[in-house]
Amino acid sequence: MSNSNDMIEPFGGFGLGLRRTHYEDFLEGDVPVDFVEVISENYMIEGGRQLRILEEIREKHPVIIHGVSMSIGSAGGLDSDYLDKLKQLERRIDPLWVSDHLCWTRTSAHNSHDLLPLPLTGEALDVVCANIDRARDHLGRPMLFENPSSYLTFPEDELTEWEFLCEMARRTGCYLLLDVNNIYVSSRNHGFSVDEYLSGLPLERVRQIHLAGHTPGEIIIDTHDREVCDDVWALYAKAMKALPQPVATMIERDDKIPPLPELLSELDRARGIASEACEAVLA
């Protein structure tokens, strides 16, 4: 699937995050997925074994490359060396698209390796949009950016998260990766309405959905270490009914990774919910 410099065409496939635990399953068998997604930074080492494995799997399945260290919220701008390595990987793999997160991860001297929250202000929006424009110019293609899970808010906040995402997409032409679990986690932590969140987004800019598990508690933590819960499945069904175009859906698991059949069973549930949503819209 090729993208123009201006558009990412809708793609309605169902896929999994490719993790080392399942390399052999993908190399040796015929795994029933429409794509895989990989963490960009794990493959940005020229000549690494993981990159060679990814190239083999790329012969069987389309690939999405999903980053965790672009740091589009960094006030000091983007790291040129990082962008060069990402572009090299993008050229080598020819992914369906490239994505990252609405967050910051580093200063000029330190990388936290964590997805840190931004104040939702006009000043932060200016920084984010400038960085997205630079990333797009460097890669020569638009990107997707994912809504974060959050555990705190800032007294300086001027916008809701959905207003921030809407304006970010309008000003830069970027697309959105809608993490349904993150919406649920943040809504429970901060008390906002998931319906208001969905209705406030530019849903025509969504090209992908992430589904994942979280750790419940007084503060819900986005841990990606367990199955998708029923409340997140219900929110996924709402989102699929609201979206005006097909989107790619992915199950994301980063810890306590189960055997592949368990993840494929969750993916089948996503297929069923998406099919029911489509039938309900057409009825």
Side-chain angles (χ1 to χ4, degrees), residues 74-91:
S74 286
L78 303 183
D79 181 85
S80 296
D81 183 58
Y82 177 90
L83 290 177
D84 288 342
K85 291 178 180 177
L86 179 61
K87 184 172 183 177
Q88 186 175 25
L89 176 65
E90 185 266 343
R91 294 294 183 265

Side-chain angles (χ1 to χ4, degrees), residues 17-225:
L18 178 65
R19 303 298 180 255
R20 189 176 304 179
T21 306
H22 300 136
Y23 279 170
E24 293 304 316
D25 295 291
F26 279 90
L27 289 170
E28 296 177 3
D30 185 17
V31 181
V33 297
D34 300 311
F35 67 92
V36 297
E37 182 187 270
V38 299
I39 303 300
S40 308
E41 290 78 7
N42 291 340
Y43 302 87
M44 287 165 60
I45 301 173
E46 185 65 27
R49 176 176 177 270
Q50 289 196 121
L51 180 56
R52 293 195 299 272
I53 289 173
L54 179 58
E55 287 179 315
E56 287 188 52
I57 294 172
R58 177 68 179 83
E59 295 299 314
K60 295 182 176 183
H61 303 285
V63 173
I64 293 167
I65 56 178
H66 180 59
V68 295
S69 297
M70 181 172 283
S71 195
I72 64 162
S74 286
L78 303 183
D79 181 85
S80 296
D81 183 58
Y82 177 90
L83 290 177
D84 288 342
K85 291 178 180 177
L86 179 61
K87 184 172 183 177
Q88 186 175 25
L89 176 65
E90 185 266 343
R91 294 294 183 265
R92 188 159 183 169
I93 297 302
D94 186 25
L96 286 171
W97 51 71
V98 182
S99 63
D100 208 288
H101 299 78
L102 175 60
C103 70
W104 66 281
T105 63
R106 61 170 179 80
T107 65
S108 58
H110 176 69
N111 191 337
S112 71
H113 300 288
D114 202 0
L115 307 176
L116 300 172
L118 293 167
L120 301 176
T121 64
E123 183 179 15
L125 181 63
D126 289 343
V127 168
V128 166
C129 290
N131 286 338
I132 290 176
D133 286 344
R134 184 182 173 201
R136 176 186 175 132
D137 290 345
H138 198 98
L139 293 176
R141 62 153 73 199
M143 293 179 63
L144 276 62
F145 289 94
E146 177 181 342
N147 58 293
S149 56
S150 78
Y151 314 103
L152 59 84
T153 58
F154 295 87
E156 298 86 1
D157 285 350
E158 300 167 347
L159 303 163
T160 63
E161 186 172 287
W162 53 94
E163 289 170 337
F164 194 102
L165 289 165
C166 187
E167 185 65 9
M168 179 185 85
R170 185 191 70 80
R171 285 172 54 174
T172 68
C174 75
Y175 292 83
L176 300 179
L177 193 174
L178 193 62
D179 191 310
V180 172
N181 182 64
N182 286 356
I183 296 175
Y184 178 80
V185 166
S186 297
S187 74
R188 290 289 303 276
N189 289 340
H190 303 312
F192 63 73
S193 161
V194 295
D195 293 326
E196 187 176 3
Y197 192 110
L198 283 177
S199 65
L201 289 175
L203 294 176
E204 73 281 358
R205 304 301 294 180
V206 176
R207 289 294 180 267
Q208 186 180 356
I209 284 180
H210 274 179
L211 294 167
H214 57 258
T215 299
E218 185 175 349
I219 296 178
I220 299 178
I221 307 297
D222 177 37
T223 47
H224 296 183
D225 64 354

Side-chain angles (χ1 to χ4, degrees), residues 210-250:
H210 274 179
L211 294 167
H214 57 258
T215 299
E218 185 175 349
I219 296 178
I220 299 178
I221 307 297
D222 177 37
T223 47
H224 296 183
D225 64 354
R226 61 196 69 198
E227 66 278 357
V228 180
C229 75
D230 287 342
D231 286 340
V232 172
W233 284 121
L235 184 53
Y236 174 62
K238 279 187 177 182
M240 293 303 287
K241 289 175 183 176
L243 286 161
Q245 71 283 320
V247 299
T249 295
M250 195 199 87

